[in-house]
Amino acid sequence: MARAATTSDVFNAIAEPQRRDILVLLRAGERPVSDVAHELGMTQPGASKHLRVLREVGLVQDRRAGKRRLYGLDARGLRTVHEWAGGFEQFWNESFDRLDAYMQELKQQGKKE
Amino acid sequence: MARAATTSDVFNAIAEPQRRDILVLLRAGERPVSDVAHELGMTQPGASKHLRVLREVGLVQDRRAGKRRLYGLDARGLRTVHEWAGGFEQFWNESFDRLDAYMQELKQQGKKE
DNA sequence: AATACATTTTCCCATATGGGTATATGATAA
DNA sequence: TTATCATATACCCATATGGGAAAATGTATT
């Protein structure tokens, strides 16, 4: 098997930096593909492809507006990510302490030898 | 270019479900590779490979303990993810409202035709 | 040293990727 | 209808993947 599809998951979709950039950009409001491409310095088909992935995982909504197609944020899917990562909150400081203890340990060893 | 390496980023590293499972498991404490493999129903080399990725992005620490090698959580890297996703918090409900408004719109159209 | 145990690495494979570029589809206006 | 603008898709490529199996490396015990 190969790597899971980028469209299989919100986690996979946001693994790509440019897609995260798109999401951040869309916080400022809906935009047509061409604007996204221009503002983020990507090619038009490139932006279109990334938006497709984001749409397939539900992080983005699109609606027609005349000749153009506006893409807008649907951030609800990011709540999962936020909550999952939040489940480790109590371990952030603890990890720090552990590393600190480890450093102390190394220091002690250094003195002995 | 292909997809970015799984080791290039915390975001890429946690895109894989099994690696997220490993991180969750390690909240309960350090474990040798074989235990991780057994408890999560993966093959031992499989677990080893996933742990390598997690180690390379700094989400996991390892230390020798006799014949075995214990892997422990270093959750600090997940803070980035938590904060990034948290930047969309104000949009979660708003997205909901937008969808709601959209539904209303469709409903109106339905009445007209 | 030789054996046994734990973990990592090396192959192999199928597959999806992101990035170009070119082309096709869609929608509007003349 | 035709011309024009906006977006999506179709190809092509190089590359890294996750998984399985086999082999190599590490470490301790006898």
Side-chain angles (χ1 to χ4, degrees):
Chain A
M1 203 184 283
R3 212 194 296 201
T6 57
T7 56
S8 61
D9 214 50
V10 173
F11 284 93
N12 277 280
I14 65 168
E16 166 66 28
Q18 309 211 60
R19 282 196 287 266
R20 290 202 298 278
D21 291 343
I22 291 179
L23 293 173
V24 169
L25 176 63
L26 291 183
R27 284 198 300 216
E30 290 179 318
R31 267 165 184 70
V33 180
S34 50
D35 280 25
V36 172
H38 185 260
E39 297 193 49
L40 296 181
M42 31 181 121
T43 184
Q44 181 271 320
S48 184
K49 286 177 198 167
H50 283 312
L51 283 165
R52 190 190 212 290
V53 173
L54 292 173
R55 175 160 44 87
E56 288 194 38
V57 299
L59 287 175
V60 141
Q61 253 189 287
D62 66 304
R63 67 181 180 88
R64 280 232 152 264
K67 198 182 299 189
R68 291 165 305 155
R69 179 180 291 270
L70 295 183
Y71 282 89
L73 192 60
D74 185 349
R76 284 174 293 158
L78 292 178
R79 189 169 195 164
T80 312
V81 177
H82 189 253
E83 283 173 357
W84 182 82
F88 293 84
E89 190 158 10
Q90 57 181 280
F91 294 91
W92 290 332
N93 303 313
E94 193 185 324
S95 298
F96 230 136
D97 295 346
R98 267 189 205 165
L99 188 73
D100 206 48
Y102 184 59
M103 288 305 183
Q104 297 285 359
E105 212 175 296
L106 287 184
K107 225 172 166 181
Q108 284 300 108
Q109 282 188 319
K111 279 182 186 169
K112 280 180 186 170
E113 288 160 359
Chain B
M1 203 183 283
R3 209 194 299 200
T6 57
T7 56
S8 61
D9 213 50
V10 172
F11 285 93
N12 277 280
I14 66 168
E16 166 67 26
Q18 310 210 57
R19 282 196 287 265
R20 292 201 297 279
D21 291 343
I22 291 180
L23 292 174
V24 169
L25 176 63
L26 291 184
R27 285 198 299 216
E30 291 180 316
R31 269 168 182 67
V33 181
S34 50
D35 280 25
V36 172
H38 185 259
E39 297 191 51
L40 295 181
M42 33 180 119
T43 184
Q44 184 270 324
S48 183
K49 285 177 198 165
H50 282 312
L51 283 166
R52 189 192 213 292
V53 173
L54 292 173
R55 176 160 43 88
E56 287 194 38
V57 298
L59 286 176
V60 140
Q61 253 189 289
D62 66 304
R63 66 180 180 91
R64 281 229 150 265
K67 200 181 300 188
R68 291 165 303 158
R69 180 181 291 268
L70 296 183
Y71 281 89
L73 192 60
D74 185 349
R76 284 175 291 159
L78 292 177
R79 189 169 196 163
T80 312
V81 177
H82 189 253
E83 283 173 358
W84 182 82
F88 294 84
E89 190 160 7
Q90 57 182 277
F91 295 90
W92 290 333
N93 303 313
E94 191 185 324
S95 298
F96 229 136
D97 295 347
R98 267 189 205 165
L99 188 72
D100 206 48
Y102 184 61
M103 288 303 183
Q104 297 284 356
E105 212 176 295
L106 287 184
K107 223 170 164 183
Q108 284 299 110
Q109 281 187 321
K111 277 181 186 171
K112 280 181 184 172
E113 287 158 3

